[in-house]
Short mmCIF file of all heavy atoms in Angstrom, two decimals:
data_model
loop_
_atom_site.label_atom_id
_atom_site.label_comp_id
_atom_site.label_asym_id
_atom_site.label_seq_id
_atom_site.Cartn_x
_atom_site.Cartn_y
_atom_site.Cartn_z
N SER A 9 8.38 7.42 2.78
CA SER A 9 9.08 7.17 4.03
C SER A 9 8.25 7.48 5.28
O SER A 9 8.63 7.10 6.36
CB SER A 9 10.38 7.97 4.06
OG SER A 9 10.12 9.35 4.01
N ASP A 10 7.12 8.15 5.12
CA ASP A 10 6.29 8.50 6.26
C ASP A 10 5.00 7.67 6.12
O ASP A 10 4.04 8.08 5.44
CB ASP A 10 5.99 9.97 6.24
CG ASP A 10 5.31 10.44 7.53
OD1 ASP A 10 5.27 9.65 8.51
OD2 ASP A 10 4.82 11.59 7.58
N LEU A 11 4.97 6.54 6.78
CA LEU A 11 3.93 5.55 6.55
C LEU A 11 2.85 5.54 7.61
O LEU A 11 3.08 5.91 8.78
CB LEU A 11 4.57 4.13 6.53
CG LEU A 11 5.71 3.92 5.56
CD1 LEU A 11 6.24 2.50 5.67
CD2 LEU A 11 5.31 4.25 4.17
N ASP A 12 1.68 5.07 7.20
CA ASP A 12 0.55 4.79 8.11
C ASP A 12 0.74 3.34 8.51
O ASP A 12 0.52 2.44 7.72
CB ASP A 12 -0.76 4.99 7.38
CG ASP A 12 -1.97 4.50 8.17
OD1 ASP A 12 -1.79 3.98 9.30
OD2 ASP A 12 -3.06 4.61 7.66
N PRO A 13 1.17 3.07 9.76
CA PRO A 13 1.51 1.67 10.16
C PRO A 13 0.33 0.69 10.12
O PRO A 13 0.54 -0.50 10.08
CB PRO A 13 2.02 1.83 11.61
CG PRO A 13 1.59 3.17 12.05
CD PRO A 13 1.35 4.02 10.83
N ALA A 14 -0.87 1.18 10.07
CA ALA A 14 -2.04 0.27 9.97
C ALA A 14 -2.18 -0.23 8.55
O ALA A 14 -2.78 -1.28 8.30
CB ALA A 14 -3.32 1.00 10.39
N ARG A 15 -1.67 0.53 7.58
CA ARG A 15 -1.86 0.18 6.15
C ARG A 15 -0.56 -0.12 5.44
O ARG A 15 -0.60 -0.76 4.40
CB ARG A 15 -2.49 1.37 5.43
CG ARG A 15 -3.93 1.61 5.73
CD ARG A 15 -4.56 2.61 4.74
NE ARG A 15 -4.30 2.21 3.37
CZ ARG A 15 -3.48 2.85 2.52
NH1 ARG A 15 -2.82 3.89 2.89
NH2 ARG A 15 -3.35 2.42 1.29
N GLN A 16 0.54 0.38 5.89
CA GLN A 16 1.79 0.31 5.14
C GLN A 16 2.95 -0.17 6.00
O GLN A 16 2.97 0.06 7.17
CB GLN A 16 2.17 1.68 4.55
CG GLN A 16 1.06 2.31 3.68
CD GLN A 16 1.29 3.77 3.48
OE1 GLN A 16 1.43 4.54 4.42
NE2 GLN A 16 1.32 4.18 2.21
N ALA A 17 3.93 -0.76 5.30
CA ALA A 17 5.18 -1.10 5.96
C ALA A 17 6.31 -1.07 4.90
O ALA A 17 6.01 -1.33 3.71
CB ALA A 17 5.11 -2.50 6.58
N ALA A 18 7.46 -0.75 5.31
CA ALA A 18 8.60 -0.78 4.38
C ALA A 18 9.88 -1.07 5.18
O ALA A 18 10.04 -0.61 6.32
CB ALA A 18 8.77 0.56 3.64
N LEU A 19 10.73 -1.86 4.57
CA LEU A 19 12.04 -2.17 5.12
C LEU A 19 13.12 -1.61 4.21
O LEU A 19 12.93 -1.63 2.99
CB LEU A 19 12.20 -3.67 5.24
CG LEU A 19 11.16 -4.44 6.05
CD1 LEU A 19 11.34 -5.91 5.89
CD2 LEU A 19 11.23 -3.99 7.48
N VAL A 20 14.19 -1.14 4.81
CA VAL A 20 15.33 -0.68 4.00
C VAL A 20 16.56 -1.47 4.39
O VAL A 20 16.75 -1.84 5.55
CB VAL A 20 15.59 0.82 4.17
CG1 VAL A 20 14.44 1.65 3.58
CG2 VAL A 20 15.82 1.22 5.61
N ALA A 21 17.36 -1.78 3.38
CA ALA A 21 18.70 -2.35 3.63
C ALA A 21 19.70 -1.24 3.42
O ALA A 21 19.64 -0.52 2.42
CB ALA A 21 18.95 -3.49 2.62
N THR A 22 20.57 -1.07 4.40
CA THR A 22 21.49 0.06 4.36
C THR A 22 22.94 -0.41 4.49
O THR A 22 23.20 -1.53 5.04
CB THR A 22 21.21 1.07 5.50
OG1 THR A 22 21.49 0.47 6.76
CG2 THR A 22 19.79 1.58 5.42
N VAL A 23 23.85 0.40 4.02
CA VAL A 23 25.27 0.21 4.20
C VAL A 23 25.92 1.56 4.54
O VAL A 23 25.30 2.59 4.32
CB VAL A 23 25.95 -0.37 2.91
CG1 VAL A 23 25.39 -1.75 2.60
CG2 VAL A 23 25.78 0.54 1.74
N GLU A 24 27.13 1.52 5.03
CA GLU A 24 27.89 2.73 5.27
C GLU A 24 28.78 2.92 4.04
O GLU A 24 29.57 2.03 3.72
CB GLU A 24 28.69 2.58 6.55
CG GLU A 24 29.60 3.72 6.86
CD GLU A 24 29.01 4.64 7.88
OE1 GLU A 24 27.96 4.35 8.44
OE2 GLU A 24 29.61 5.70 8.11
N GLU A 25 28.65 4.06 3.40
CA GLU A 25 29.51 4.42 2.26
C GLU A 25 29.93 5.87 2.39
O GLU A 25 29.06 6.73 2.62
CB GLU A 25 28.76 4.26 0.93
CG GLU A 25 28.47 2.84 0.54
CD GLU A 25 27.69 2.72 -0.77
OE1 GLU A 25 27.02 3.72 -1.17
OE2 GLU A 25 27.77 1.65 -1.38
N GLU A 26 31.20 6.11 2.25
CA GLU A 26 31.73 7.47 2.30
C GLU A 26 31.25 8.19 3.58
O GLU A 26 30.95 9.38 3.60
CB GLU A 26 31.33 8.26 1.06
CG GLU A 26 31.84 7.61 -0.21
CD GLU A 26 31.17 8.19 -1.47
OE1 GLU A 26 30.39 9.16 -1.38
OE2 GLU A 26 31.47 7.65 -2.55
N GLY A 27 31.20 7.46 4.68
CA GLY A 27 30.85 8.02 5.96
C GLY A 27 29.37 8.29 6.15
O GLY A 27 28.99 8.95 7.11
N GLU A 28 28.55 7.83 5.20
CA GLU A 28 27.09 8.08 5.29
C GLU A 28 26.33 6.76 5.17
O GLU A 28 26.77 5.84 4.49
CB GLU A 28 26.64 8.99 4.15
CG GLU A 28 27.16 10.37 4.26
CD GLU A 28 26.56 11.29 3.20
OE1 GLU A 28 25.34 11.11 2.90
OE2 GLU A 28 27.29 12.11 2.67
N GLU A 29 25.16 6.71 5.83
CA GLU A 29 24.28 5.58 5.67
C GLU A 29 23.55 5.74 4.35
O GLU A 29 22.95 6.80 4.06
CB GLU A 29 23.25 5.54 6.82
CG GLU A 29 22.31 4.37 6.73
CD GLU A 29 21.25 4.39 7.79
OE1 GLU A 29 20.80 5.49 8.18
OE2 GLU A 29 20.83 3.28 8.25
N ARG A 30 23.63 4.71 3.51
CA ARG A 30 22.94 4.74 2.21
C ARG A 30 21.98 3.52 2.11
O ARG A 30 22.34 2.43 2.55
CB ARG A 30 23.92 4.67 1.06
CG ARG A 30 24.87 5.84 0.99
CD ARG A 30 25.45 6.00 -0.40
NE ARG A 30 26.55 6.88 -0.43
CZ ARG A 30 26.49 8.21 -0.45
NH1 ARG A 30 25.31 8.81 -0.47
NH2 ARG A 30 27.57 8.95 -0.52
N ILE A 31 20.86 3.75 1.50
CA ILE A 31 19.92 2.67 1.24
C ILE A 31 20.31 1.93 -0.02
O ILE A 31 20.56 2.57 -1.05
CB ILE A 31 18.47 3.20 1.12
CG1 ILE A 31 18.04 3.79 2.48
CG2 ILE A 31 17.52 2.09 0.68
CD1 ILE A 31 16.68 4.49 2.44
N VAL A 32 20.39 0.62 0.03
CA VAL A 32 20.70 -0.19 -1.14
C VAL A 32 19.53 -1.09 -1.60
O VAL A 32 19.57 -1.66 -2.68
CB VAL A 32 21.97 -1.04 -0.95
CG1 VAL A 32 23.19 -0.12 -0.76
CG2 VAL A 32 21.83 -2.04 0.21
N ALA A 33 18.49 -1.17 -0.78
CA ALA A 33 17.29 -1.95 -1.14
C ALA A 33 16.10 -1.48 -0.31
O ALA A 33 16.29 -1.06 0.82
CB ALA A 33 17.51 -3.45 -0.94
N VAL A 34 14.95 -1.59 -0.93
CA VAL A 34 13.69 -1.27 -0.23
C VAL A 34 12.66 -2.34 -0.57
O VAL A 34 12.55 -2.76 -1.71
CB VAL A 34 13.14 0.08 -0.68
CG1 VAL A 34 11.83 0.43 0.06
CG2 VAL A 34 14.12 1.22 -0.51
N ALA A 35 11.92 -2.78 0.45
CA ALA A 35 10.80 -3.71 0.26
C ALA A 35 9.63 -3.05 0.96
O ALA A 35 9.74 -2.65 2.13
CB ALA A 35 11.10 -5.06 0.84
N ARG A 36 8.50 -2.94 0.25
CA ARG A 36 7.38 -2.24 0.86
C ARG A 36 6.07 -2.93 0.52
O ARG A 36 5.98 -3.71 -0.43
CB ARG A 36 7.34 -0.78 0.39
CG ARG A 36 7.03 -0.58 -1.08
CD ARG A 36 6.93 0.90 -1.44
NE ARG A 36 7.95 1.74 -0.93
CZ ARG A 36 7.83 2.51 0.16
NH1 ARG A 36 6.69 2.63 0.80
NH2 ARG A 36 8.85 3.26 0.59
N LEU A 37 5.06 -2.62 1.34
CA LEU A 37 3.72 -3.09 1.09
C LEU A 37 2.73 -2.05 1.50
O LEU A 37 3.01 -1.21 2.39
CB LEU A 37 3.44 -4.45 1.80
CG LEU A 37 3.47 -4.53 3.32
CD1 LEU A 37 2.21 -4.00 3.94
CD2 LEU A 37 3.73 -5.94 3.77
N ALA A 38 1.58 -2.06 0.85
CA ALA A 38 0.47 -1.16 1.20
C ALA A 38 -0.82 -1.96 1.14
O ALA A 38 -1.16 -2.52 0.09
CB ALA A 38 0.44 0.03 0.23
N ARG A 39 -1.47 -2.04 2.26
CA ARG A 39 -2.73 -2.80 2.38
C ARG A 39 -3.77 -2.22 1.45
O ARG A 39 -3.96 -1.00 1.33
CB ARG A 39 -3.23 -2.75 3.81
CG ARG A 39 -4.42 -3.67 4.09
CD ARG A 39 -4.97 -3.46 5.48
NE ARG A 39 -4.03 -3.65 6.56
CZ ARG A 39 -3.76 -4.82 7.15
NH1 ARG A 39 -4.39 -5.91 6.77
NH2 ARG A 39 -2.89 -4.88 8.15
N SER A 40 -4.50 -3.12 0.79
CA SER A 40 -5.59 -2.73 -0.08
C SER A 40 -6.75 -2.16 0.74
O SER A 40 -7.08 -2.71 1.80
CB SER A 40 -6.09 -3.93 -0.86
OG SER A 40 -7.33 -3.69 -1.48
N GLU A 41 -7.33 -1.08 0.25
CA GLU A 41 -8.51 -0.51 0.98
C GLU A 41 -9.73 -1.38 0.75
O GLU A 41 -10.61 -1.45 1.64
CB GLU A 41 -8.74 0.93 0.48
CG GLU A 41 -7.64 1.84 0.97
CD GLU A 41 -7.88 3.27 0.59
OE1 GLU A 41 -9.05 3.67 0.37
OE2 GLU A 41 -6.92 4.06 0.53
N GLU A 42 -9.81 -2.08 -0.40
CA GLU A 42 -10.98 -2.90 -0.68
C GLU A 42 -10.91 -4.27 0.04
O GLU A 42 -11.93 -4.81 0.38
CB GLU A 42 -11.09 -3.17 -2.20
CG GLU A 42 -11.40 -1.94 -3.04
CD GLU A 42 -10.16 -1.12 -3.37
OE1 GLU A 42 -9.07 -1.73 -3.52
OE2 GLU A 42 -10.27 0.10 -3.43
N ASP A 43 -9.71 -4.79 0.18
CA ASP A 43 -9.55 -6.10 0.78
C ASP A 43 -8.39 -6.04 1.79
O ASP A 43 -7.23 -6.13 1.43
CB ASP A 43 -9.27 -7.15 -0.29
CG ASP A 43 -9.09 -8.56 0.28
OD1 ASP A 43 -9.13 -8.73 1.52
OD2 ASP A 43 -8.93 -9.48 -0.51
N PRO A 44 -8.67 -5.93 3.11
CA PRO A 44 -7.62 -5.75 4.09
C PRO A 44 -6.69 -6.99 4.19
O PRO A 44 -5.64 -6.88 4.82
CB PRO A 44 -8.36 -5.51 5.40
CG PRO A 44 -9.79 -5.69 5.12
CD PRO A 44 -10.00 -5.84 3.67
#
């Protein structure tokens, strides 16, 4: 959850359940060090 924005990105899909924000999906990427 603590990303380096030059190398990584992640999106979360959230919903409200039982009065709390909950994540129901995650999509992420991490740039290759060998091939940017």
Side-chain angles (χ1 to χ4, degrees):
S9 61
D10 191 11
L11 306 180
D12 171 359
R15 288 192 52 251
Q16 303 164 306
L19 303 172
V20 293
T22 66
V23 296
E24 177 99 7
E25 290 179 338
E26 301 167 4
E28 293 187 37
E29 181 184 35
R30 296 202 195 280
I31 295 174
V32 296
V34 181
R36 67 176 46 260
L37 63 80
R39 187 187 303 271
S40 166
E41 291 184 22
E42 294 83 32
D43 181 356

